[in-house]
Amino acid sequence: MATYVMSDIHGEYEKFMEVLEKINLSDSDTLYVLGDILDRGPHPIQVMQKLISMENAVCLVGNHELMALDCLEFLQKEITNFSIEKLDKDMLEKLVSWLHNGAKTTIDGFRKLDKHKRRDITESIKEFSVYEEVNVNGSEYLLVHGGMGDFYPGKTIEDCTLHDVVWSRVDYFIKYFDDKYLVTGHTPTQYIEDNPDPGFIYRANNHIAIDCGAHLRGGRLAALCLDTGEEFYSAANKK
Ligand SMILES: [Mn+2]
């Protein structure tokens, strides 16, 4: 009945399988994946399909899934019914921005799938949670991909927009809550200022940052067991 959290897998299928093996996830355990499954790494579609097939995995939406959803649905339509007029400035900007954010491996993998498997992916992303609240051994955890926007004391998750939760970053120097932990991905711990242990799980001020930069050189994929506090890591990225 253990609860694990993981984030920002970014197409690193081998690292994902390596960590899954290390945590030895059983059917009665739950794995929360805090978004950014897609893009950057070599096998984003495989990671997505594996997660969709796991009944005990709960996925939250990351900014990369939002970008992908917009664009994949558009690209799907274009394959059968191309019309240059439909490629308006807004859509073009979305595509360009997604490509700048490492979309190539996602698009390549997606193109190899038949219509039903493509649909499986886009429909599954729409089912992803925006946030989750879990209680483990009497401790409360709020799980989001990015942050809570421009946080102010008293701001609740219900006050946040989708953009706040998925795109914004946390100020790890400020304690947001006295009575719960905020667990976030999105910001690699390598980028947290004055972090004594970059590339490993970061805990301070009731924040837990779990994106250990699986796609960055020297980074790794992490999992945290909320029941025991035990940390699990893939081998470091040599790329
Ligand atoms: Mn992100």
Side-chain angles (χ1 to χ4, degrees), residues 9-68:
I9 302 169
H10 277 308
E12 297 288 345
Y13 184 77
E14 280 175 25
K15 290 189 183 68
F16 177 52
M17 296 311 286
E18 184 187 343
V19 175
L20 268 190
E21 203 160 296
K22 283 187 179 167
I23 65 179
N24 197 14
L25 196 73
S26 78
D27 289 344
S28 61
D29 297 335
T30 306
L31 171 66
Y32 289 91
V33 175
L34 275 57
D36 283 6
I37 295 154
L38 297 174
D39 300 343
R40 303 200 198 283
H43 304 298
I45 297 296
Q46 280 94 321
V47 179
M48 185 62 84
Q49 287 178 319
K50 172 72 184 170
L51 282 167
I52 292 170
S53 76
M54 291 168 61
E55 282 180 15
N56 52 349
V58 178
C59 295
L60 279 70
V61 67
N63 51 309
H64 285 262
E65 282 72 52
L66 285 190
M67 288 187 280

